[in-house]
Amino acid sequence: MKTRPDPLPEVNFSDHGDIRYLHLGTEWVQGSMRLDEPFEIHLEYVQRMMAWLLFVEPASVARRHAMQLGLGAASLTKFCHRKLRMKTTAIELNPQVVAACRLWFKLPRDDSRLSVVLGDAAEVAAHEHWRGQVDALQVDLYDHEAAAPVLDSEAFYADCRRLLTEDGCMTVNLFGRSSSYERSLARIRAAFGAEAVWAFRPTREGNTVVLALRTPQIPVRGELAARADEIRDRWGLPAPKWLRVFRRVE
């Protein structure tokens, strides 16, 4: 007998000074936005989800395709679409989240470069439709309690790898009271290969961003520093600071 799926949580927001926060029916923050800078990325860990920029030529970025699994407050989607001028696809299960982002978080309507798709991230990752077409895959999938990643299996990460172009990259947010970073990291390494995985130190809030490359890269000395400076100068992200807390996983 087929069980009825759990109801999707209610979506609301709160304002504290210049910051607007997205909530899924609890006090846990699912995303945020500065009201006077709606197309910038506010949270530190979300900025780190852009670390894939370190591994591509900056001049090529606008020709690439970014995909977000989990819309949140649409920070990554808006940044990739508006600031980086990329083709951008976001996959979100909860239609209320999409409506909230358009109503309260300045998410633009779909256009020739932007597509927000209502769907299940696991099904999208496993489907052939986008296989080999995504250059930057950003995975941030949490339920309303933010207890652990909703999708965190080796099979799911293998499907994510198959979405990527040859020089594509996945960044994933690992956070949660009941999640195990080491267990999640082991699954990512099993899916991508031990030499393909990089990781940040945790933020003060406990978010650890892990990066996995479709094809392993070990940049020559100084290359990442030069890229980081260019990312800061072009797009205002604090990429030089990333290098102090970002290393290939041994």
Side-chain angles (χ1 to χ4, degrees):
M1 182 175 179
K2 189 174 181 180
T3 60
R4 180 177 296 178
D6 293 335
L8 295 171
E10 291 293 323
V11 178
N12 57 349
F13 74 94
S14 62
D15 288 347
H16 297 276
D18 182 44
I19 309 299
R20 177 164 291 173
Y21 296 100
L22 178 73
H23 308 277
L24 299 184
T26 73
E27 75 277 7
W28 289 99
V29 171
Q30 301 285 342
S32 67
M33 176 186 75
R34 288 191 184 276
L35 294 173
D36 60 355
E37 293 180 322
F39 296 98
E40 303 295 337
I41 299 175
H42 169 231
L43 293 175
E44 181 180 36
Y45 93 85
V46 184
Q47 293 175 346
R48 293 179 178 184
M49 296 283 284
M50 299 300 302
W52 60 268
L53 288 166
L54 292 166
F55 295 90
V56 300
E57 286 291 339
S60 73
V61 168
R63 299 191 298 272
R64 294 178 178 269
H65 179 196
M67 175 179 282
Q68 294 82 43
L69 299 183
L71 184 60
S75 296
L76 292 169
T77 303
K78 291 186 297 183
F79 193 88
C80 290
H81 174 255
R82 177 67 67 90
K83 305 287 285 189
L84 302 187
R85 310 295 299 173
M86 298 177 72
K87 177 183 178 182
T88 307
T89 305
I91 310 299
E92 173 55 50
L93 183 64
N94 190 338
Q96 288 189 55
V97 171
V98 177
C101 286
R102 295 220 151 107
L103 189 61
W104 301 324
F105 290 88
K106 305 290 187 181
L107 176 65
R109 294 184 179 276
D110 285 7
D111 59 25
S112 60
R113 288 187 295 104
L114 175 63
S115 180
V116 179
V117 178
L118 282 175
D120 183 285
E123 294 178 4
V124 168
H127 201 277
E128 295 183 0
H129 181 73
W130 278 291
R131 191 164 293 177
Q133 297 184 39
V134 179
D135 297 289
L137 181 66
Q138 297 162 312
V139 183
D140 194 3
L141 295 165
Y142 286 83
D143 62 14
H144 59 289
E145 294 183 342
V150 173
L151 299 173
D152 188 40
S153 67
E154 181 182 336
F156 170 68
Y157 292 126
D159 285 338
C160 288
R161 186 176 184 269
R162 284 187 281 269
L163 291 178
L164 297 175
T165 57
E166 282 301 311
D167 65 346
C169 178
M170 176 187 75
T171 50
V172 57
N173 171 39
L174 297 178
F175 170 80
R177 300 185 305 281
S178 63
S179 67
S180 167
Y181 167 73
E182 293 297 337
R183 183 177 64 231
S184 298
L185 183 64
R187 291 167 177 167
I188 294 170
R189 294 184 80 190
F192 279 79
E195 296 184 347
V197 180
W198 298 61
F200 283 90
R201 294 178 195 161
T203 64
R204 289 187 301 274
E205 297 77 18
N207 299 85
T208 301
V209 171
V210 173
L211 179 148
L213 297 157
R214 173 69 175 80
T215 304
Q217 294 185 44
I218 304 178
V220 298
R221 185 178 179 87
E223 183 178 347
L224 287 180
R227 284 266 174 85
D229 288 344
E230 190 164 358
I231 292 165
R232 176 198 58 205
D233 296 343
R234 278 179 179 250
W235 300 301
L237 292 167
K241 295 181 180 179
W242 296 343
L243 300 185
R244 298 200 290 266
V245 291
F246 182 61
R247 297 287 184 273
R248 192 163 69 90
V249 177
E250 299 296 337

